[in-house]
């Protein structure tokens, strides 16, 4: 096969093949536009190795001055570019006097351009960076600065409901991969100028835009300063997803628990903003990060607040129970069957022992094998193409489980325990927390196998110390449970009526503790009663 | 000023509420596990009266222990002892406090381990349980007082609800109440007072106050906090004493090793729900953990300040090993611990811990006041 050689010419190229990326960077940083058009175009192409998505359209202004449009294919709106061309080729004829003084031309052209944004730039690296945002560059013969015109055509995924955070009630929109669309989604819900958005560019190669939004006057200034410094400290070449940002700014990296809350739902992000938190939006990721995040927040779904409060509270308690089951049930089962049979009622104990008859493994091996098997199944279920997903679940769950019991390899009780654990785990609404709970479940199983219930208690104590020592952006992770803040319980463990939730969470939104007038409980007027 | 020579008090702050929870749990755990025996041994059916009397006597000791602390709200005992009686005598006297904390940690963990071994894990080697508790406690102490405070916040509801639930479930069993509790105060006041001796003297636990007071949000109110904690645990003790005498009877109650667990074990809530003592034991373990971690924190910080070490964390690992070993080797079995809790042994022992250092410091303080020197001066 013949490798297609790049088009090269014999002109001087400062960028040689044996230059490493950092040298290349420095070299490009130094490069400026010169006055010759062809030379400039060549430099622009040399910098990106004549890549084919860099499009050059040569033309001449008023049939006399050669010029060119440079843009990246598919990033610009064709009609806008055509409009631009027409302006430059035809409308420039109206300018008077420029043939005597060429200096008049540039400001005049700038006035003529009918596009959103026009800037001037002269550094090659800068120009290319701007092209990646969908800008079109106008290079003119004899000019050492170029016009950068905004001709952006955002091609984004449609705004759909996030599949990982489905709700029964509430808005059906989710964040997409585009930073500006995401900011728009937030801005459309909070329509005050006090929603401030600060943008940073992180990653020397990816040049990812990372924005953080907050409500000025509500978010703690010290917290913002801390976040700003943590973001500025990041010095890397790659930021591809919000997960990369997350790992750089966490308070304590060595923990399975997520210290930032990821969400794909604009309403979640807005409710966090309104309680004084900060939202970090990363360009190219539909997951925005909410900071500071507290442990109870990972068990909240936004429709808890949209449904009636008793329902919301009930569901939330169910979720807490689910979390507890998903962490402790396998360990508890192992401990009871191995060490504390006397704790079971006799009838139940007889059933369990009867079904364990002939099973070749010790209980803990049985439980661990089934747990690992289930995890593999779950992982396979995610990675497989959607079309074969159901097949795997049928083969894996039904056939395998049934056959394993029939063959006497595992006891039905263990299958029940593992299935219950798995189902309970799915009730945790935030995936990062669910997977953390799943992970620590293994250590509890092992502890219980060695020390029985005492092992469980030991594990609980260690986990407790760990959880209590965590902080998210300086705020204790277990707030409002520890430190105990009574007024926040209404919104964290249970769901209160919205007219009763007059205060913002303490420690986070304390700058303006009251969010509404208290005493707005609806009651029919006295006249209506009669 | 010489005050700059030794490490400053930490910047960690806990709320007085957290201090209350800590003090309540550390006293209640030892009290519910052990004390009905000790009180009823002397007072028999009047154990509840002993419990109430013990509140007033313990309160007096709390005032002695914590009184100086609120007069130096910024300083730990190691720091103000050096101000009051000079650098080296001050440091030396604090070693007594450290010794007291060492013995208390060892005893608490040992009681916990013995309770587990007699009740549940009959074949588990004792050092394993002791060291597991020491590891948990020292991890907490390493993480700092704030973390212990937050853990106390989290564990307190579990602790109190488990104990109250056990007591509530015990109510239907109170059929023997009248027969077992009568005759009231038949043998006069003497046995009641003697029965109050041991629960009073266990207050040596609150020696940790001398290290914690400067770390509270409102150090001046710390004494009130301690008294509230004492009142709460006295209430629990009274209820437990009542329940134990009512259900097990004064004789069995005073003979059984862990009367409260025996009591919970006899409960049968329904056909399906028996053996609820596992819940009580779990909650009780949480309480022991809080106590142990507080003592470890205070002990290590005191040692660090005495030897002038800036960061107490470096001392935790070696001291944890000493604590664990001490706990395993200082008692042979559960009966030796019971002997230790005999009034003739534990009272002079603990009184020495409390009265000797505090007495000297109070005297120095009083002399300074009388001679007109400001107590805060060198």
């Amino acid at each position: 096969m013949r490798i297609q050689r790049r088009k090269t010419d014999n002109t001087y190229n400062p960028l040689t093949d044996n230059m490493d990326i950092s040298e290349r960077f420095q070299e490009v940083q130094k490069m400026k536009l010169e006055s010759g058009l062809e030379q400039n175009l060549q430099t622009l192409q040399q910098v990106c190795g004549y890549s084919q998505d860099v499009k050059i359209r040569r033309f001449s202004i008023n049939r006399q001055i050669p010029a060119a449009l440079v843009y990246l294919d598919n990033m610009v709106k064709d009609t806008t570019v055509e409009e631009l061309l027409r302006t430059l080729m035809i409308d420039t004829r109206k300018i008077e006097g420029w043939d005597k003084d060429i200096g008049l031309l540039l400001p005049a052209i700038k006035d003529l351009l009918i596009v959103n944004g026009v800037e001037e730039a002269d550094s090659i690296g800068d120009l290319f960076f701007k092209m990646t945002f969908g800008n079109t560059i106008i290079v003119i013969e004899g000019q050492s600065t170029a016009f950068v015109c905004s001709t952006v055509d955002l091609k984004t995924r449609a705004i759909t409901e996030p599949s990982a955070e489905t709700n029964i009630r509430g808005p059906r929109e989710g964040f997409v991969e585009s930073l500006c669309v995401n900011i728009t989604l937030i801005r459309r819900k909070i329509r005050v100028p006090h929603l401030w958005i600060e943008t940073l560019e992180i990653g020397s190669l990816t040049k990812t835009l990372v924005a953080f939004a907050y409500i000025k006057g509500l978010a703690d200034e010290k917290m913002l300063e801390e976040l700003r410094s943590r973001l500025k400290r990041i010095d890397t070449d790659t930021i591809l997803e919000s997960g990369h940002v997350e790992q750089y700014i966490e308070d304590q990296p060595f923990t399975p628990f997520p210290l930032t809350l990821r969400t794909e739902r604009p309403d979640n992000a807005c409710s966090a903003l309104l309680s004084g938190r900060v939202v970090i939006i990363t360009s190219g990721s539909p997951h925005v990060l909410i900071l500071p995040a507290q442990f109870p927040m990972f068990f909240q779904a936004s429709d808890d607040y949209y449904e009636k409060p008793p329902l919301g509270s009930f569901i939330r308690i169910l979720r807490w129970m689910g979390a507890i089951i998903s962490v402790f049930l396998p360990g508890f089962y192992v401990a009871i069957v191995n060490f504390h049979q006397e704790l079971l009622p006799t009838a139940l104990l007889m059933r369990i022992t009867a079904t364990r008859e002939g099973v070749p493994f010790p209980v803990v091996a049985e439980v661990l094998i089934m747990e690992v098997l289930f995890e593999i199944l779950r992982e396979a279920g995610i990675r497989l193409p959607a079309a074969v997903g159901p097949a795997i679940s049928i083969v894996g769950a039904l056939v395998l489980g049934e056959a394993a019991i029939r063959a006497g390899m595992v006891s039905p009780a263990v299958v029940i325990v593992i299935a219950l654990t798995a189902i309970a785990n799915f009730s945790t609404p935030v995936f990062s927390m669910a997977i953390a709970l799943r992970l620590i479940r293994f250590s509890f199983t092992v502890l219980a196998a060695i020390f029985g219930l005492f092992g469980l208690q030991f594990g609980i104590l260690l986990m407790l110390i760990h959880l209590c020592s965590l902080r998210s952006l300086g705020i204790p992770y277990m707030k409002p449970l520890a430190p105990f803040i009574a007024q926040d319980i209404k919104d964290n463990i249970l769901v209160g009526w919205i007219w009763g939730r007059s205060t913002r969470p303490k420690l986070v939104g304390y700058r303006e503790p009251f969010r509404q007038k208290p005493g707005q409980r609806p009651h029919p007027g006295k006249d209506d009663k009669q | 000023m010489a005050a700059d020579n030794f490490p400053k008090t930490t910047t960690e702050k806990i709320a007085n509420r957290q201090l209350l929870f800590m003090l309540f749990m550390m006293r209640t755990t030892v009290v519910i596990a052990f004390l009905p025996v000790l009180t009823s041994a002397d007072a028999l059916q009047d154990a509840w009266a002993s419990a109430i009397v013990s509140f007033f006597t313990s309160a007096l000791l709390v005032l002695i222990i914590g009184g100086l602390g609120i007069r130096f709200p910024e300083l730990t005992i190691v720091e103000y002892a050096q101000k009051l009686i000079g650098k080296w005598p001050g440091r030396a006297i604090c070693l007594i406090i450290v010794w007291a904390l060492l013995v208390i940690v060892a005893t608490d963990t040992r009681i916990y381990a013995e309770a587990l071994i007699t009740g549940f894990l009959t074949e588990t080697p004792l050092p394993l349980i002791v060291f597991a508790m020491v590891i948990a406690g020292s991890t907490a102490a390493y993480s700092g007082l704030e973390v212990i405070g937050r853990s106390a916040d989290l564990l307190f509801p579990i602790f109190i609800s488990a104990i109250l639930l056990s007591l509530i479930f015990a109510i239907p069993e109170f059929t023997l109440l009248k027969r077992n509790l009568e005759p009231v105060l038949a043998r006069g006041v003497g046995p009641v007072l003697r029965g109050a001796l041991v629960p009073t003297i266990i207050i040596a636990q609150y020696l940790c106050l001398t290290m914690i007071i400067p770390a509270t949000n409102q150090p001046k109110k710390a004494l009130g906090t301690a008294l509230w904690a004492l009142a709460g645990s006295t209430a629990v003790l009274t209820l437990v004493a009542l329940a134990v005498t009512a259900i097990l009877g004064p004789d069995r109650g005073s003979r059984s090793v862990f009367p409260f667990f025996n009591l919970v074990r006899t409960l049968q809530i329904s056909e399906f729900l028996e053996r609820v003592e596992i819940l009580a034991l779990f909650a009780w373990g949480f309480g022991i953990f809080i106590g142990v971690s507080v003592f470890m924190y205070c002990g290590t910080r005191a040692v660090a300040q005495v030897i002038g070490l800036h960061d107490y964390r470096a001392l935790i690992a070696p001291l944890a090993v000493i604590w664990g070993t001490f706990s395993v080797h200082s008692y042979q079995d559960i009966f030796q611990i019971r002997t230790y809790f005999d009034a003739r042994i534990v009272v002079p022992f603990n009184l020495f811990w409390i009265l000797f250092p505090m007495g000297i410091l109070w005297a120095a303080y009083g002399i300074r006041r009388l001679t007109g020197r400001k107590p805060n001066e060198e």
Side-chain angles (χ1 to χ4, degrees):
Chain A
M1 201 175 97
R2 202 174 137 248
I3 298 170
Q4 196 187 339
R5 293 292 304 173
R6 287 169 185 165
K7 196 168 41 170
T8 45
D9 15 21
N10 299 328
T11 48
Y12 165 70
N13 188 350
L15 304 166
T16 53
D17 280 355
N18 53 6
M19 278 179 125
D20 289 338
I21 178 73
S22 47
E23 293 173 62
R24 220 162 241 281
F25 242 105
Q26 286 168 358
E27 199 59 42
V28 170
Q29 215 62 30
K30 277 187 273 176
M31 289 160 99
K32 299 265 188 235
L33 284 183
E34 309 285 334
S35 54
L37 173 67
E38 284 307 318
Q39 190 191 345
N40 284 340
L41 291 179
Q42 194 146 35
T43 321
L44 269 171
Q45 281 180 306
Q46 275 171 354
V47 164
C48 59
Y50 297 92
S51 302
Q52 64 127 22
D53 62 329
V54 180
K55 296 288 175 196
I56 297 179
R57 167 74 161 86
R58 289 186 173 78
F59 64 98
S60 46
I61 297 175
N62 204 3
R63 289 194 202 145
Q64 291 178 31
I65 302 175
L69 292 184
V70 190
Y71 56 88
L72 293 177
D73 205 7
N74 263 323
M75 284 210 183
V76 294
K77 198 165 195 172
D78 289 343
T79 50
T80 323
V81 175
E82 281 158 17
E83 198 68 33
L84 209 61
L85 267 178
R86 181 187 323 196
T87 315
L88 288 166
M89 291 167 73
I90 299 167
D91 294 356
T92 40
R93 290 177 194 168
K94 295 173 196 158
I95 306 170
E96 286 171 9
W98 63 267
D99 42 352
K100 296 185 184 81
D101 183 5
I102 196 113
L104 289 176
L105 182 66
L106 281 186
I109 289 182
K110 201 170 177 181
D111 288 342
L112 277 178
L113 295 174
I114 318 169
V115 282
N116 269 335
V118 182
E119 293 171 60
E120 289 178 42
D122 63 347
S123 142
I124 297 287
D126 218 24
L127 284 172
F128 192 86
F129 181 49
K130 286 192 167 132
M131 282 203 299
T132 60
F133 287 105
N135 291 320
T136 299
I137 300 171
I138 307 170
V139 195
I140 303 170
E141 170 76 43
Q143 304 295 330
S144 59
T145 54
F147 291 117
V148 181
C149 308
S150 161
T151 51
V152 61
D153 181 24
L154 266 183
K155 294 193 175 63
T156 59
R157 185 164 61 90
I159 297 172
T160 50
E161 186 174 25
S163 59
E165 275 178 89
T166 43
N167 275 9
I168 303 290
R169 188 166 174 179
R172 295 260 182 264
E173 59 185 8
F175 286 120
V176 292
E177 284 77 5
S178 154
L179 180 72
C180 6
V181 175
N182 290 351
I183 290 175
T184 318
L185 284 174
I186 294 178
R187 184 72 84 176
R188 277 205 297 223
K189 284 182 192 284
I190 302 175
R191 300 163 179 281
V192 286
H194 315 296
L195 172 69
W196 284 25
I197 293 160
E198 292 181 30
T199 313
L200 293 93
E201 185 190 304
I202 308 177
S204 58
L205 291 185
T206 55
K207 304 248 180 203
T208 313
L209 289 182
V210 176
F212 62 99
Y214 55 91
I215 295 183
K216 188 75 178 172
L218 194 56
D220 184 19
E221 287 299 324
K222 257 196 235 155
M223 187 175 83
L224 289 174
E225 196 45 56
E226 173 68 27
L227 180 66
R228 226 170 267 140
S229 75
R230 282 189 200 179
L231 283 173
K232 280 185 183 146
R233 210 173 46 208
I234 306 177
D235 180 12
T236 177
D237 58 351
T238 318
I239 295 286
L240 288 177
E241 219 269 346
S242 58
H244 290 174
V245 182
E246 182 184 358
Q247 291 189 24
Y248 280 109
I249 59 172
E250 272 175 333
D251 291 53
Q252 158 69 280
F254 303 109
T255 171
F257 296 101
L259 296 183
T260 55
L261 177 60
R262 284 195 211 184
T263 183
E264 286 186 71
R265 300 185 63 90
D267 54 335
N268 272 357
C270 289
S271 104
L273 284 173
L274 290 168
S275 52
R277 294 190 161 86
V278 186
V279 165
I280 301 182
I281 314 158
T282 314
S283 170
S285 162
H287 297 277
V288 308
L289 305 175
I290 296 175
L291 279 123
Q294 267 72 49
F295 188 71
M297 284 165 65
F298 292 89
F299 299 92
Q300 301 170 357
S302 55
D303 51 356
D304 295 356
Y305 296 100
Y306 307 145
E307 286 294 346
K308 297 220 111 199
L311 282 177
S313 300
F314 171 66
I315 292 169
R316 202 169 272 179
I317 290 171
L318 281 184
R319 254 184 237 136
W320 283 107
M321 279 164 56
I324 290 173
I325 289 176
S326 75
V327 174
F328 298 117
L329 186 65
F332 191 70
Y333 176 79
V334 170
I336 293 279
V337 172
N338 265 355
F339 294 93
H340 313 280
Q341 296 94 343
E342 77 275 7
L343 293 180
L344 288 180
T346 325
L348 185 60
L349 182 66
M350 299 294 281
R351 293 288 325 155
I352 291 180
T353 355
T355 54
R356 273 195 52 72
E357 192 83 19
V359 174
F361 307 111
V363 190
V364 56
E366 215 181 329
V367 167
L368 284 179
I369 289 172
M370 286 306 285
E371 272 183 18
V372 172
L373 259 182
F374 171 73
E375 291 299 315
I376 293 173
L377 267 180
R378 194 192 49 77
E379 184 62 20
I382 296 177
R383 305 297 157 207
L384 272 169
V388 270
I392 269 294
S393 57
I394 290 169
V395 172
L398 298 179
V399 179
L400 239 156
E402 180 65 23
I405 295 174
R406 285 264 179 97
M409 310 268 254
V410 288
S411 69
V414 166
V415 175
I416 293 173
V417 164
I418 299 302
L420 246 177
T421 314
I423 293 167
N425 189 263
F426 286 125
S427 68
T428 305
V430 182
F431 180 73
S432 51
M433 178 53 86
I435 205 159
L437 296 180
R438 223 180 274 147
L439 196 64
I440 55 175
R441 183 180 74 201
F442 283 97
S443 39
F444 277 106
T445 315
V446 173
L447 273 175
I450 304 173
F451 302 119
L453 284 178
F454 171 70
L456 272 191
Q457 184 176 34
F458 180 61
I460 290 174
L461 285 179
L462 289 188
M463 185 179 81
L464 207 77
I465 301 167
H466 179 65
L467 278 174
C468 286
S469 63
L470 288 180
R471 281 169 181 270
S472 173
L473 209 55
I475 308 283
Y477 192 50
M478 292 302 277
K479 183 196 86 76
L481 302 171
F484 182 77
I485 297 169
Q487 66 167 33
D488 290 357
I489 292 288
K490 66 185 185 308
D491 189 21
N492 273 283
I493 311 302
L494 303 175
V495 186
W497 276 265
I498 188 146
W499 40 259
R501 298 202 309 264
S502 309
T503 50
R504 292 202 166 78
K506 221 172 159 184
L507 297 187
V508 180
Y510 66 94
R511 285 185 74 177
E512 190 83 16
F514 284 95
R515 64 165 81 208
Q516 62 186 15
K517 209 174 76 193
Q520 296 195 62
R521 183 179 148 193
H523 42 75
K526 273 183 184 156
D527 300 339
D528 301 350
K529 269 184 192 166
Q530 288 158 0
Chain B
M1 265 184 74
D4 296 327
N5 292 342
F6 43 72
K8 282 267 173 291
T9 29
T10 113
T11 49
E12 283 192 296
K13 287 282 173 199
I14 57 166
N16 282 44
R17 176 198 68 247
Q18 292 172 334
L19 177 67
L20 177 85
F21 290 167
M22 288 178 192
L23 293 175
F24 173 81
M25 281 198 267
M26 74 170 66
R27 183 167 163 84
T28 312
T29 41
V30 175
V31 148
I32 59 168
F34 237 40
L35 282 181
V37 187
L38 305 158
T39 27
S40 42
D42 276 312
L44 288 178
Q45 73 271 38
D46 296 325
W48 57 272
S50 294
I52 293 173
V53 170
S54 77
F55 170 73
F56 298 100
T57 42
S58 325
L60 193 70
L61 288 178
V62 170
L63 292 181
I64 294 176
I65 293 171
L68 273 179
I70 58 166
R71 282 171 176 74
F72 300 93
E74 304 290 315
L75 303 179
T76 68
I77 187 165
V78 187
E79 289 160 337
Y80 64 70
Q82 295 182 53
K83 285 197 170 188
L84 285 175
I85 57 174
K87 193 171 176 189
W88 290 109
R91 291 186 178 191
I93 219 165
C94 292
L95 286 178
I96 296 176
I97 308 277
V98 174
W99 172 33
L101 292 176
L102 169 69
V103 177
I104 292 170
V105 169
T107 315
D108 274 14
T109 31
R110 184 58 183 263
I111 294 175
Y112 172 71
E114 292 285 355
L116 273 183
I117 284 179
T118 37
F120 294 92
L121 301 163
T122 38
E123 287 166 28
T124 311
L126 179 105
L128 199 104
I129 297 178
V130 167
F131 274 97
M133 202 32 124
V134 167
I135 287 172
S138 45
T139 318
Y142 188 87
S143 308
L145 191 60
E146 283 183 358
V147 172
I148 304 175
R150 284 184 227 143
S151 314
D153 263 348
L154 264 184
L155 292 176
F156 178 76
I158 305 174
F159 181 76
I160 193 78
S161 46
I163 287 171
L164 287 185
L165 273 183
S166 326
L167 286 174
I168 288 170
F169 288 140
I171 288 176
E173 315 268 332
F174 270 27
T175 45
L176 300 175
L177 182 69
K178 201 158 178 298
R179 201 192 72 201
N180 277 348
L181 284 184
E182 282 183 347
V184 177
L185 296 182
R187 295 177 301 138
V189 194
V192 172
L193 291 183
R194 252 181 287 130
L197 267 179
V198 179
T200 303
I201 210 66
I202 300 292
I203 205 68
Q205 285 183 318
Y206 281 25
L207 279 174
C208 64
L209 263 182
T210 56
M211 293 300 297
I212 299 185
I213 283 179
T216 50
N217 273 343
Q218 298 163 303
K220 299 251 174 201
K221 290 188 181 166
L223 261 193
T225 313
L227 290 178
W228 274 111
L230 182 64
S233 64
T234 307
V236 173
L237 172 63
T238 316
L239 288 176
V240 172
L242 266 178
V244 168
T245 359
I247 295 173
L248 299 180
D251 282 337
R252 225 182 111 199
S254 61
R255 266 185 284 112
S256 64
V257 181
F258 293 109
F260 182 65
F261 296 124
N262 285 355
L263 167 105
V264 184
R265 190 169 291 181
T266 56
L267 303 181
Q268 191 180 10
I269 298 155
S270 74
E271 294 247 328
F272 193 78
L273 262 183
E274 28 191 346
R275 307 290 312 244
V276 282
E277 86 266 24
I278 190 79
L279 285 181
L281 201 71
F282 247 74
W284 188 66
F286 290 148
I288 288 276
F289 158 73
I290 290 293
V292 166
S293 43
V294 170
F295 297 137
M296 286 192 160
Y297 172 82
C298 295
T300 19
R301 277 211 58 215
V303 175
Q305 288 194 330
V306 166
I307 62 177
L309 202 65
H310 196 75
D311 191 2
Y312 72 96
R313 287 184 169 84
L315 287 174
I316 285 183
L319 281 176
V321 174
I322 295 177
W323 269 314
T325 321
F326 198 73
S327 177
V328 173
H329 288 288
S330 51
Y331 305 102
Q332 272 178 359
D333 50 28
I334 184 70
F335 299 102
Q336 219 171 26
I337 304 184
R338 278 192 69 173
T339 323
Y340 167 70
F341 276 108
D342 190 294
R344 277 160 297 182
I345 297 172
V346 76
V347 172
F349 207 37
N350 284 16
L351 264 188
F352 169 74
W353 288 340
I354 300 173
L355 292 185
F356 181 68
M358 295 326 276
I360 290 178
L361 293 180
W362 273 108
Y365 181 80
I367 289 168
R368 288 193 171 221
R369 289 302 285 270
L370 286 178
T371 53
R373 279 170 73 194
K374 274 191 184 162
N376 270 329
E377 281 172 16
E378 282 303 301

